[in-house]
Amino acid sequence: MTSTRTALTLQDMGWTAATAAELTDQFNGGEAGYREVKAPFTNSYLYALPLSSDHAVDEAVARARSSQLRWAATKITERIDVMLRFHDLLLRHREDVLDIIQFETGKARRDALEELLDVCVVTQYYARTAKRLLADRAHRGAIPVLTSVREVHHPIGVVGVIAPWNYPLSLALSDAVPAMLAGNAVVVKPDVQTSLTAGWCRRLLREAGLPANVYQLVTGDGPTVGARLIDQVDHVMFTGSSATGRIVAARCGERLISATMELGGKNALIVRADAQVGRAVRIAERAVFANSGQLCIAMERIYVDRKLFEPFVEQLRNRVAALKIGTRPGWGSDLGPLINDTHLDRVSGQVEQALAAGATVVSGGRRRPEIGPLVYLPTLLTDVTVGMDLCGQETFGPVASIYVTSDDDHAIQLANDTEYGLNASIVTADVGRGKALARRLNSGSVNINDGYAAAWGSVAAPLGGRGASGLGARHGIAGLLNYTESQTIATQRIWGFSAPAGISDRRWADLLARSVRIMRPLGHRSKGAS
Ligand code: NAD
């Protein structure tokens, strides 16, 4: 474990004042003053973020809007080329962005790398599929042969992306890239803590050939800058807590604009009686402590079959004891500090409340200021009961509670006993049984014999939450078509739907009824085929 109290500054990344200024110039900020941003590794001053005024938000959206039609009119192949050039630049300059992410978030470098890989696979997937997914589609018309129909997808216009601090690279790009491929302009509002990563991305997008105004950034607090943005864009892609999600969704509802909401979770990992304990422990360790647990799809509740409970707890405790906590940028650590004082208080408050109410510490359960001011030890608890905040509310830290289960039904019942429905995991030797159980989990994604990366990395399939975990999904077909408005263009040939001249309404009704009867087997066949 490393220990340091020295302040980190942008100069530690080898930056000159000029490079820093070039990055902060990417924001439409400054008119509303500056906000001190601290590096979580040391909880000390990193840089001053220029904040966007109302006027700057309006201007950013106006600039995005003025560029959007021309961008949408470029060939899809040109838009794909820009994104693939960006993808290549991102890989080439990866060490730079991993530095920035670590400085802003304090996360382990391997967690920062996961973000980078996410952006790359998402960009590759949509570069491969966008042309096909956005192409017009022919459908069977109302009257076969006589009605022809095309489904057309238009870009929505300007998409507002509001993002949290935990995955600043992923969340500045993984939704914005498909939105831009679909012909939209985007205005991103990152969290105040992690705007620099987004500024770096904007500079790289421009280097890749993206017209300057297609990707805009605004900076500042959610209730002011975020709300102003929602009031002007045509679609909102929001990622954040369920509490904020409700406010954002209501505001979008007032304007009757569409929104995709990716929210919090209280994810459950089930260890079946047939699981190999060593494997279950390895999966659980990564699933709980990735990004210090500040990951929406991380596991916070572990349900272990009675037969394996003791060896599982013992082996997981030993594994957790060996985790390396890092407080400097660079490779080699397993997890870092939490993001800020407020969040540290929230995480430790939940644990303290649970301990006071009878929970038992297996591992951790306290701060370690001598390692770093925002360090909280990786924590495992047992004897957590319903009514403790830790049991039902998202913790979003390096903390999991472990529960005993008597069989599969019991595990499923406990796992589903939550208002959230984001991610889940089942560890089992019987994959067939695991897949059957997965269908009974009220969760947008379920990973069998993995914690979260299998579903997250499978970007051809949608990823989204149920219940308090969200509305809609990113990834897959939806992750592109979310940013389009469909239009149905139907052409009627020869006859319309009213009775032709010389045929009475009664006779026409008879003919229509007969035609509908003839079409019945066609309907049946297509239903069976799907
Ligand atoms: P948060 O909801 O506090 O903030 C998220 C973003 O919303 C920030 O940019 C913030 O400035 C903005 N915001 C806040 N109030 C707003 C308002 N009234 N109007 C408009 N914007 C507003 O979330 P957080 O604490 O930054 O992030 C952690 C949360 O994000 C956790 O709950 C986590 O589970 C969730 N998350 C979900 C996913 C997912 O894909 N489901 C991914 C990452 C994080």
Side-chain angles (χ1 to χ4, degrees):
M1 290 179 183
T2 17
S3 164
T4 179
R5 304 308 297 271
T6 345
L8 290 171
T9 65
L10 291 182
Q11 276 68 38
D12 293 319
M13 283 194 277
W15 285 17
T16 60
T19 351
E22 201 187 320
L23 266 200
T24 49
D25 274 356
Q26 303 300 324
F27 309 122
N28 291 283
E31 276 181 15
Y34 289 77
R35 178 80 51 82
E36 177 177 311
V37 176
K38 291 180 177 176
F41 282 138
T42 51
N43 206 20
S44 59
Y45 175 85
L46 183 61
Y47 77 109
L49 172 73
L51 299 174
S52 304
S53 61
D54 286 353
H55 174 250
V57 177
D58 300 352
E59 290 274 294
V61 177
R63 272 197 293 274
R65 207 172 280 294
S66 71
S67 70
Q68 187 266 322
L69 284 179
R70 185 173 301 173
W71 171 244
T74 58
K75 286 197 187 123
I76 177 70
T77 45
E78 282 175 39
R79 302 204 293 269
I80 290 171
D81 284 347
V82 171
M83 294 307 156
L84 286 177
R85 277 199 297 276
F86 169 73
H87 165 280
D88 296 347
L89 285 169
L90 188 59
L91 281 177
R92 192 177 318 147
H93 298 290
R94 64 184 180 279
E95 293 299 331
D96 292 347
V97 74
L98 296 185
D99 278 346
I100 300 175
I101 297 171
Q102 281 203 288
F103 272 72
E104 283 195 323
T105 64
K107 66 173 66 183
R109 204 164 182 86
R110 66 178 191 170
D111 292 323
L113 182 72
E114 276 192 358
E115 296 200 47
L116 186 121
L117 298 178
D118 168 56
V119 175
C120 289
V121 292
V122 164
T123 306
Q124 286 179 21
Y125 168 70
Y126 287 115
R128 248 191 341 268
T129 57
K131 191 168 174 206
R132 177 173 54 82
L133 295 178
L134 294 171
D136 293 1
R137 236 161 283 167
H139 294 285
R140 182 196 292 171
I143 306 177
V145 185
L146 297 188
T147 319
S148 75
V149 182
R150 292 189 89 71
E151 177 188 339
V152 176
H153 288 274
H154 299 278
I156 285 192
V158 178
V159 173
V161 175
I162 301 181
W165 44 263
N166 65 330
Y167 276 72
L169 180 69
S170 265
L171 297 169
L173 290 167
S174 295
D175 305 301
V177 164
M180 290 187 286
L181 279 172
N184 298 282
V186 297
V187 182
V188 179
K189 193 208 86 62
D191 192 273
V192 167
Q193 176 66 37
T194 50
S195 297
L196 208 53
T197 303
W200 186 87
C201 294
R202 180 163 189 262
R203 202 176 59 160
L204 214 65
L205 280 164
R206 292 180 65 176
E207 199 179 322
L210 186 76
N213 291 329
V214 173
Y215 184 95
Q216 296 283 322
L217 289 175
V218 292
T219 52
D221 293 322
T224 49
V225 174
R228 186 98 185 171
L229 183 62
I230 295 167
D231 285 349
Q232 300 182 59
V233 294
D234 307 308
H235 176 92
V236 171
M237 171 71 213
F238 175 81
T239 306
S241 62
S242 303
T244 310
R246 288 189 166 97
I247 298 169
V248 169
R251 204 163 182 119
C252 293
E254 280 293 317
R255 293 196 54 226
L256 284 178
I257 58 166
S258 52
T260 313
M261 315 294 295
E262 301 289 347
L263 311 176
K266 188 76 190 174
N267 309 307
L269 181 149
I270 294 173
V271 181
R272 292 193 69 230
D274 68 354
Q276 202 249 324
V277 175
R279 185 174 192 198
V281 163
R282 280 194 303 280
I283 291 169
E285 180 249 295
R286 186 71 190 139
V288 171
F289 300 112
N291 208 38
S292 302
Q294 299 168 128
L295 166 63
C296 57
I297 46 183
M299 297 296 146
E300 299 197 352
R301 300 176 290 149
I302 306 180
Y303 295 106
V304 186
D305 189 278
R306 187 178 305 287
K307 295 189 195 76
L308 306 183
F309 188 77
E310 280 178 24
F312 177 88
V313 171
E314 184 58 29
Q315 288 185 34
L316 187 57
R317 182 210 320 242
N318 293 339
R319 209 173 156 89
V320 166
L323 289 175
K324 280 192 245 123
I325 302 175
T327 53
R328 294 291 296 178
W331 297 101
S333 61
D334 297 306
L335 70 169
L338 298 188
I339 195 75
N340 57 32
D341 286 312
T342 314
H343 193 52
L344 176 62
D345 287 346
R346 184 188 136 85
V347 170
S348 65
Q350 271 197 12
V351 173
E352 275 153 31
Q353 188 216 43
L355 294 180
T360 307
V361 174
V362 172
S363 186
R366 63 201 164 89
R367 303 167 191 236
R368 285 294 300 274
E370 68 282 17
I371 299 176
L374 299 178
V375 168
Y376 195 78
L377 285 181
T379 298
L380 299 170
L381 301 173
T382 53
D383 304 315
V384 170
T385 51
V386 176
M388 298 177 187
D389 287 351
L390 196 79
C391 184
Q393 288 182 20
E394 184 181 44
T395 307
F396 215 56
V399 181
S401 27
I402 315 177
Y403 306 84
V404 190
T405 57
S406 44
D407 54 26
D408 288 343
D409 288 343
H410 187 210
I412 296 283
Q413 180 212 326
L414 293 176
N416 282 341
D417 188 15
T418 169
E419 62 165 340
Y420 295 105
L422 190 58
N423 187 33
S425 167
I426 300 174
V427 185
T428 177
D430 182 346
V431 170
R433 179 77 181 140
K435 286 182 184 169
L437 290 175
R439 289 169 184 269
R440 293 170 55 194
L441 283 170
N442 183 28
S443 178
S445 53
V446 182
N447 296 266
I448 295 167
N449 293 330
D450 186 58
Y452 62 86
W456 182 22
S458 302
V459 298
L463 190 75
R466 299 180 183 175
S469 292
L471 289 172
R474 55 164 60 99
H475 293 178
I477 298 171
L480 183 77
L481 298 188
N482 279 340
Y483 305 113
T484 65
E485 273 181 317
S486 67
Q487 182 182 41
T488 298
I489 303 180
T491 310
Q492 192 61 30
R493 301 193 188 96
I494 314 174
W495 298 322
F497 289 82
S498 328
I503 299 185
S504 70
D505 281 352
R506 192 191 180 98
R507 170 123 179 81
W508 182 238
D510 212 33
L511 277 171
L512 281 180
R514 256 190 257 165
S515 310
V516 169
R517 197 172 306 125
I518 289 166
M519 282 158 58
R520 161 79 169 76
L522 298 177
H524 180 68
R525 257 214 310 275
S526 72
K527 197 172 164 208
S530 72

